[in-house]
Amino acid sequence: MVSQGVRSLRQLRAGDSACVSAIANHRTGAKRLADLGFVDGASITMVRSGKPCIVRIDDRLVGLGLGHQEVILLSA
Amino acid sequence: MSTHVEPLPASRHKLVALAGNPNTGKTTLFNALTGYRCRVGNYPGVTVETRKGLIRSEDGLTPHTLLDLPGTYSLAAHSADEAIVLDALLGELSDVDVPDVIVIVIDATNPRANLFLATQILELNRPTVVALNMVDLAKKSRVHVDAEVLSQRLGCPVIPVVATKQMGLDLLCQAIDKADASPDVTVALDWPSEVTSAVEVMHGILERVANGKDRLALKAELLQTLLGDGGYHEQRWAKRCGDDFRLLLRQQRSAVVKNGDSLASIEGDVRYAWIDRLIEDTVKRDEGRPTGTARADRILTHRVMGLAILAILMGACFQSIYAWSTPIMDAVDSAIGAGGALVSAWLPAGPLQSLIVDGAIAGVGAVLVFLPQIVVLFLFLAVMEDCGYMARAAFLLDRWMGLIGLGGKSFIPLLSSFACAVPGILATRTISDRRARIITMLIAPLMSCSARLPVYMLFIGAFVPDTQFLGGAIGLQALVLLAMYLVGTIVAIVVAILVKRFLLKGDTQPFLMEMPPYRWPKVRTVFHRAYEQAREFCVSAGTIIFAVTVVVWALGYYPHAKSIAVAHDAQRQAVTAEHEVVLLEIERGGDGVATSLDEQTLEMQAKLSRIDQDEAGEYLRQSVLGRMGRWIEPVVAPLGWDWRMGTAVLASFPAREVMIATMGTIYNLGENEDEKSVGLRDKLKASRHADGRPIYNLPVALSVMVFFALCCQCGGTLAAIKRETRSWRWPIFTFVYMTTLAYIGAWLTFVIASKLYA
Ligand SMILES: Nc1nc2c(ncn2[C@@H]2O[C@H](COP(=O)(O)OP(=O)(O)O)[C@@H](O)[C@H]2O)c(=O)[nH]1
């Protein structure tokens, strides 16, 4: 039920930043992401896009596989 | 008030647990506090086993016991090492008590991310101290953390330290010694009312089951269980209370998510909201921090350049193992030969001389020759680990590992298995995907470990021609070595695919791994690591290998029948007598004698030496070992091996390190005195079948190497798999599949190579 305007981390281009709006909770692993700081309002920067990608959250670089990129939804 | 100062009562001995996110410097701090240096690495999850040590302290403080725990981001445990942390902190590890004090290590350069775990641990209501580590780096990156305010808000002491420079450790020790009370201000988070009441309900029901537990700690645990995502918390309670618990959990969870929240993000939302307010009051940072890591990553994590660099690094590693260590190896080899010759000259012939020269020196010495290679290999891995590159390698390879049903995380255990499969298998604890973890363990022993290296080196050195390509940049010998490493790797890939396809079906979890900042490898850490491995290698050479060598020597020496000596003495006498006759003839000046005196003496010596050789060979054939060897010969003959090789391989099933030592002993026993000082490599080249054909040639050498590449000759590995999977099924599976493949592989190699070589 992801509406048209909502984009996931997967669409974020390298160098761009965005805020997390939600974690789509349809897979296990969502809890791990939330605990790492991928929560509502967190600001993240795409460092290297692709499968997997590297994002910066806080001062931490995190490598994320495609499955995780798809459940991290970004606010417009 | 009296002026006299009461002597401080010596505090009770405490168990202190060290917890924190991966890569916050826990291992470094542990080493600094205990003075006992152990493995430190700069990739997430390098501390995989709990380690204990006594805290060194000068000021007469009680030497408390320090417990090092694996790094974790959250108490919501999903992987095996996270489960260990949780069990240890709750005092539920079988061999460790509840910790009296918990030290939380926080990376001062990134306090926000680190505080998540800290708030979880503080809720456990144990005496706690925060070690704010890496304040030197924080200063450099212009991050300022106000330790005092942080301490007030967290309700526990916060001590700034620099673990690498041993700064602030005294204060930390004092704080640990004084920590008796639970945190003053329990971190009060704004949980939604549904959550609080669900926890109350669960607490009311489960209080009896967990009798004697601290009330707040139990509530914290239940909160984690409620908000967890099918993790370890849930499994533990279900094991304790069965299906009733699952039902209770389901009811309470549906009560919590009724208002549309997603269960998985509740804890993160609440904690990070609290942390953000805390950060506002305690952390100041200036923008424009240096970004060396970002610049390095632009190349090192690039999908093409990064992979190329990784490939070059690996190639350089193999070439350097060969190129750098060969001269050192030759030197060690001749030193050992000289040592043997010296002892032979000193000690009278007999069992004692044979035990020392043929058993100890030839056996253990043959293994020690390979120490240089092993040190080079470990240095290489230690540098990659310490500088933070390992996580990038995992990142780059995730997509490729995905093709065989594994993730990038499996790469690190597999790469360390090239040094030794046992730590490799322990390192799989960081893999939260259970199936991927088991597959990684099953194929880890196929990575050519350092104990195989001596076998490769011996046979390559002896039988592969030293051809150089590209003006000496690449040698054929190094290529064959690389091929041996590839054989294991390729078979591993096939095995992984098959196991995933037929035994452990299911989706692979997506990649999730922190990329730690690059740090210059610490020379001390790297050399220490290599030194520890070298020492371990020498210790095992001195114990297991020595013991097996002595057994092999005894089997190969006895019964040492008198009759053999008698028969050969008779031959020797005959030769000497004949020589006397000729001598007399020469003296008489008979002109029918064509040869000179010298030639005659030489000829006699040659005959005598052949008799000695014959005698030594006869002893060996008649020995217990010789008889056993001929008994297994039909099994190994299709692989092109003779009985001596078969025996050595059989002896090395418990630990493959034994192979070279056994060969050294067997070949020395079968030699006459003059040849004992010659290295094993030359002996193999010179050894002949009864009909004069050489026993070893290239096809035989390749067959032996392939066998070693694929065979599971390591009791330690099987024990590790048993312990980690808690079942006999997987170690037995590993042993059977590897040994079968090894035999088939060696046979095919021999047959094909013989065709090509002929
Ligand atoms: N500059 C600096 N580096 C540190 C400090 N503590 C640890 N390190 C480095 O951080 C890296 C990771 O440390 P390690 O002890 O392996 O972390 P662990 O994963 O938490 O056990 C190593 O390269 C250490 O040398 C510190 O206080 N200052």
Side-chain angles (χ1 to χ4, degrees):
Chain A
M1 287 143 290
V2 175
S3 68
Q4 285 270 282
V6 178
R7 51 179 192 149
S8 75
L9 183 60
R10 205 185 155 187
Q11 278 98 32
L12 197 63
R13 279 196 314 239
D16 288 354
S17 300
C19 279
V20 177
S21 69
I23 305 286
N25 186 22
H26 56 72
R27 281 212 202 200
T28 53
K31 177 79 166 77
R32 294 175 82 85
L33 290 174
D35 289 2
L36 272 176
F38 292 91
V39 292
D40 199 353
S43 151
I44 51 184
T45 308
M46 180 64 82
V47 177
R48 184 175 290 288
S49 54
K51 300 182 278 180
C53 70
I54 299 180
V55 298
R56 180 184 295 279
I57 175 158
D58 288 325
D59 252 350
R60 192 180 259 164
L61 293 173
V62 182
L64 291 174
L66 187 64
H68 289 316
Q69 293 174 42
E70 281 168 342
V71 298
I72 299 176
L73 307 181
L74 306 175
S75 50
Chain B
M1 270 209 193
S2 79
T3 48
H4 118 135
V5 182
E6 287 277 315
L8 279 172
S11 61
R12 197 168 54 84
H13 173 266
K14 294 172 183 168
L15 177 65
V16 183
L18 202 55
N21 287 8
N23 232 24
T24 47
K26 271 189 323 311
T27 315
T28 314
L29 189 61
F30 180 88
N31 291 335
L33 286 173
T34 58
Y36 166 70
R37 295 183 52 82
C38 36
R39 230 179 118 188
V40 194
N42 186 11
Y43 68 82
V46 75
T47 315
V48 285
E49 262 192 317
T50 58
R51 248 184 308 248
K52 273 188 204 165
L54 284 183
I55 300 181
R56 285 187 313 183
S57 55
E58 285 102 50
D59 322 329
L61 301 177
T62 317
H64 303 299
T65 302
L66 192 63
L67 179 70
D68 192 17
L69 296 176
T72 178
Y73 296 104
S74 166
L75 287 187
H78 288 90
S79 63
D81 60 342
E82 290 166 348
I84 290 175
V85 179
L86 185 63
D87 279 340
L89 292 181
L90 297 177
E92 287 173 20
L93 276 189
S94 54
D95 50 346
V96 192
D97 290 331
V98 194
D100 301 293
V101 180
I102 302 175
V103 174
I104 308 176
V105 186
I106 287 185
D107 173 357
T109 63
N110 194 3
R112 183 179 186 268
N114 280 254
L115 278 165
F116 183 88
L117 177 72
T119 60
Q120 286 183 324
I121 292 179
L122 284 164
E123 284 172 1
L124 296 179
N125 205 31
R126 305 293 308 166
T128 307
V129 176
V130 167
L132 190 65
N133 192 27
M134 308 207 193
V135 283
D136 57 332
L137 289 180
K139 202 167 171 191
K140 233 187 254 169
S141 358
R142 302 204 209 117
V143 180
H144 176 77
V145 183
D146 188 334
E148 210 148 298
V149 178
L150 192 61
S151 162
Q152 282 164 17
R153 297 280 287 271
L154 295 177
C156 71
V158 175
I159 317 289
V161 295
V162 180
T164 40
K165 299 191 187 114
Q166 318 229 335
M167 273 164 52
L169 300 191
D170 290 346
L171 285 177
L172 183 62
C173 286
Q174 284 167 21
I176 291 172
D177 198 61
K178 270 190 279 180
D180 278 322
S182 303
D184 298 337
V185 193
T186 314
V187 182
L189 301 169
D190 298 323
W191 296 106
S193 57
E194 293 88 353
V195 173
T196 335
S197 51
V199 170
E200 287 300 334
V201 171
M202 290 170 70
H203 184 253
I205 295 172
L206 295 168
E207 205 176 5
R208 278 171 301 109
V209 188
N211 51 349
K213 257 202 184 157
D214 180 87
R215 228 175 81 87
L216 290 175
L218 180 59
K219 281 194 183 170
E221 198 186 325
L222 290 172
L223 178 87
Q224 297 273 318
T225 315
L226 176 72
L227 301 179
D229 194 10
Y232 180 64
H233 272 294
E234 201 171 318
Q235 289 165 28
R236 264 190 359 173
W237 279 104
K239 208 184 271 171
R240 223 175 294 168
C241 312
D243 286 341
D244 292 351
F245 174 77
R246 288 200 189 282
L247 186 68
L248 173 68
L249 189 63
R250 212 172 311 133
Q251 284 168 350
Q252 297 308 314
R253 277 185 180 163
S254 59
V256 169
V257 291
K258 207 164 43 193
N259 58 4
D261 275 345
S262 105
L263 184 73
S265 52
I266 295 176
E267 188 176 1
D269 284 339
V270 173
R271 284 193 201 280
Y272 279 109
W274 188 85
I275 291 168
D276 281 337
R277 285 198 298 279
L278 178 62
I279 291 287
E280 234 161 70
D281 302 340
T282 54
V283 180
K284 288 191 185 56
R285 57 171 70 217
D286 297 333
E287 288 310 316
R289 279 158 282 120
T291 53
T293 291
R295 248 176 287 134
D297 265 341
R298 223 167 283 157
I299 299 169
L300 293 178
T301 61
H302 190 274
R303 294 201 199 278
V304 181
M305 277 189 284
L307 275 179
I309 289 172
L310 181 62
I312 291 171
L313 276 175
M314 299 283 139
C317 174
F318 291 118
Q319 176 74 5
S320 64
I321 285 175
Y322 211 93
W324 297 354
S325 9
T326 311
I328 314 175
M329 199 180 111
D330 290 341
V332 178
D333 208 4
S334 36
I336 289 166
L342 208 68
V343 175
S344 302
W346 266 53
L347 284 174
L352 183 64
Q353 189 212 53
S354 176
L355 171 64
I356 293 179
V357 177
D358 304 325
I361 297 182
V364 175
V367 178
L368 285 187
V369 169
F370 298 98
L371 194 57
Q373 268 96 354
I374 285 161
V375 171
V376 170
L377 179 66
F378 278 104
L379 276 178
F380 195 86
L381 283 178
V383 169
M384 295 231 312
E385 270 173 15
D386 203 50
C387 70
Y389 182 71
M390 217 62 135
R392 271 68 181 189
F395 169 82
L396 284 171
L397 291 171
D398 179 66
R399 193 194 287 202
W400 305 99
M401 303 288 287
L403 296 179
I404 61 169
L406 298 177
K409 266 197 179 171
S410 295
F411 175 72
I412 294 168
L414 291 177
L415 187 66
S416 18
S417 298
F418 280 107
C420 174
V422 175
I425 286 165
L426 295 187
T428 62
R429 288 182 185 170
T430 59
I431 303 171
S432 53
D433 186 335
R434 193 188 70 91
R435 292 185 215 93
R437 182 171 180 227
I438 292 180
I439 298 176
T440 310
M441 283 193 251
L442 296 184
I443 62 172
L446 278 173
M447 305 299 122
S448 273
C449 65
S450 56
R452 283 158 168 130
L453 194 55
V455 178
Y456 299 156
M457 297 300 287
L458 177 69
F459 284 93
I460 290 177
F463 301 104
V464 176
D466 186 15
T467 317
Q468 301 287 326
F469 304 113
L470 300 179
I474 301 172
L476 181 62
Q477 295 186 327
L479 281 182
V480 173
L481 182 66
L482 189 64
M484 285 306 132
Y485 279 86
L486 286 180
V487 165
T489 312
I490 291 167
V491 170
I493 290 173
V494 175
V495 171
I497 292 174
L498 291 178
V499 170
K500 176 88 185 176
R501 187 79 181 272
F502 296 107
L503 290 179
L504 295 165
K505 285 175 252 188
D507 283 345
T508 315
Q509 277 181 16
F511 186 72
L512 177 60
M513 191 175 196
E514 185 189 351
M515 305 285 120
Y518 289 110
R519 298 196 176 103
W520 283 109
K522 302 264 180 312
V523 177
R524 194 171 154 197
T525 312
V526 169
F527 275 93
H528 184 80
R529 176 86 199 283
Y531 160 77
E532 288 227 310
Q533 297 296 341
R535 198 188 56 187
E536 196 159 297
F537 182 78
C538 292
V539 167
S540 91
T543 50
I544 310 175
I545 298 181
F546 178 71
V548 175
T549 309
V550 169
V551 171
V552 169
W553 167 82
L555 291 176
Y557 187 80
Y558 292 107
H560 214 74
K562 269 258 153 53
S563 58
I564 296 174
V566 172
H568 285 85
D569 276 346
Q571 287 181 24
R572 268 187 285 261
Q573 269 162 16
V575 171
T576 337
E578 193 185 314
H579 183 59
E580 306 267 275
V581 174
V582 178
L583 277 191
L584 280 178
E585 226 163 86
I586 294 175
E587 243 165 55
R588 248 189 276 132
D591 35 30
V593 188
T595 54
S596 74
L597 196 69
D598 287 350
E599 279 173 43
Q600 277 301 318
T601 315
L602 277 181
E603 194 176 311
M604 178 198 66
Q605 276 166 352
K607 276 185 189 157
L608 283 180
S609 142
R610 223 170 303 132
I611 294 171
D612 286 350
Q613 178 90 44
D614 213 50
E615 184 182 25
E618 188 64 20
Y619 274 132
L620 187 57
R621 263 192 302 282
Q622 297 298 327
S623 71
V624 181
L625 190 73
R627 285 172 216 194
M628 278 165 44
R630 262 165 299 147
W631 188 66
I632 61 162
E633 196 160 22
V635 183
V636 298
L639 312 181
W641 309 351
D642 77 330
W643 69 268
R644 284 182 278 206
M645 176 64 77
T647 314
V649 168
L650 206 61
S652 47
F653 262 93
R656 55 172 75 81
E657 291 91 328
V658 165
M659 165 76 179
I660 297 289
T662 314
M663 298 272 290
T665 299
I666 295 179
Y667 272 90
N668 234 31
L669 278 174
E671 293 290 335
N672 65 14
E673 294 303 322
D674 299 342
E675 291 189 355
K676 282 190 178 170
S677 59
V678 178
L680 180 57
R681 200 199 294 175
D682 296 315
K683 282 183 192 158
L684 291 182
K685 273 192 197 169
S687 67
R688 295 275 182 275
H689 282 294
D691 57 7
R693 274 182 307 125
I695 296 179
Y696 297 102
N697 52 17
L698 189 60
V700 177
L702 290 176
S703 138
V704 173
M705 287 191 280
V706 167
F707 188 88
F708 268 78
L710 300 180
C711 195
C712 182
Q713 298 167 301
C714 182
T717 300
L718 295 173
I721 298 179
K722 157 84 179 57
R723 204 174 50 223
E724 295 299 312
T725 59
R726 295 202 189 84
S727 98
W728 280 106
R729 191 170 148 205
W730 297 115
I732 291 173
F733 178 81
T734 308
F735 181 79
V736 171
Y737 97 76
M738 286 184 68
T739 308
T740 314
L741 282 181
Y743 191 87
I744 297 173
W747 176 73
L748 278 177
T749 308
F750 179 65
V751 171
I752 295 171
S754 301
K755 284 253 156 61
L756 296 176
Y757 190 66

